[in-house]
Amino acid sequence: LNRQAAWLVARLERAAPAISFADGAVVPVRGVGHLIVATGKVRGHVEAGEEEGAPVLFVPGGAEHQSRRLMDWLKAEALRDIEVRVAIHAATLGVKAKAIRLRSQSTRWGSCSSEGRLNFNWRLILAPPHVLDYVAAHEVAHLAEMNHSPAFWRLVEKALPDMARGRAWLKAHGSELLAMGQED
């Protein structure tokens, strides 16, 4: 550790700061920044809307529950989008997923088990849609090829011809998304 201290300090300085889902924070949904606005209502559901022409997420509940409510809403939105994209890519590749689950990994975007279960990081809902689409295509391709061979990458490209766009975006911005909701 002492020998690598300078390297570690440099990496920590480059790490994205944790972003809390608190009133007044801005969180991207499908790549578009939304202002979090506490409604002050005790009951209700998170609602996406606009305020003065800007995207807003209206979050009910006491301050101690707002982050959880918003995260639950984001997870539901993520699952809905992921299920749609997985179905499309699975049909294209002629495969079938046994289950789709959301996870809260701190370093991974998705995984595929040998039993055909697909796991996705719920934070994909924060990225632009083409990024979620890329990860869905990537994991669906693993249903046919459980490796990262050239044959695997051909399947990903068959499912999503512009896969490089989503892959590049994740490489450039993924750490920022992974930091979101981490304080909660």
Side-chain angles (χ1 to χ4, degrees):
L1 184 61
N2 289 333
R3 274 194 326 240
Q4 301 300 326
W7 177 87
L8 182 58
V9 168
R11 294 306 176 278
L12 289 172
E13 288 173 352
R14 286 195 316 223
I19 304 293
S20 181
F21 293 155
D23 185 37
V26 175
V27 61
V29 178
R30 296 178 182 98
V32 177
H34 286 67
L35 177 68
I36 299 172
V37 174
T39 64
K41 297 176 184 174
V42 176
R43 299 197 188 281
H45 301 285
V46 173
E47 293 182 20
E50 283 191 10
E51 198 169 80
E52 298 178 13
V56 174
L57 294 172
F58 297 102
V59 183
E64 69 276 11
H65 301 294
Q66 288 176 351
S67 178
R68 180 190 50 80
R69 284 189 178 193
L70 179 55
M71 202 174 307
D72 289 348
W73 181 83
L74 288 167
K75 287 176 181 180
E77 293 292 302
L79 186 58
R80 186 173 14 262
D81 288 6
I82 288 167
E83 287 176 338
V84 167
R85 301 313 304 167
V86 164
I88 290 167
H89 297 310
T92 299
L93 299 181
V95 296
K96 185 166 175 42
K98 288 194 179 162
I100 298 171
R101 293 193 180 99
L102 294 181
R103 299 282 187 246
S104 189
Q105 303 100 316
S106 58
T107 58
R108 299 180 78 173
W109 294 109
S111 63
C112 176
S113 75
S114 58
E115 294 84 29
R117 292 184 188 93
L118 303 181
N119 297 302
F120 294 92
N121 192 316
W122 67 266
R123 288 177 180 84
L124 286 167
I125 195 63
L126 306 174
H130 71 275
V131 176
L132 181 146
D133 201 19
Y134 160 68
V135 177
H138 183 114
E139 298 311 327
V140 167
H142 278 309
L143 294 169
E145 288 282 338
M146 289 295 289
N147 55 54
H148 287 109
S149 66
F152 164 80
W153 289 109
R154 283 191 296 275
L155 286 174
V156 178
E157 193 165 25
K158 178 180 178 184
L160 186 67
D162 71 341
M163 68 163 202
R165 185 172 148 220
R167 189 173 183 202
W169 193 98
L170 265 184
K171 189 171 197 137
H173 304 285
S175 63
E176 298 164 28
L177 297 187
L178 291 171
M180 295 194 175
Q182 288 291 342
E183 285 185 0
D184 306 317

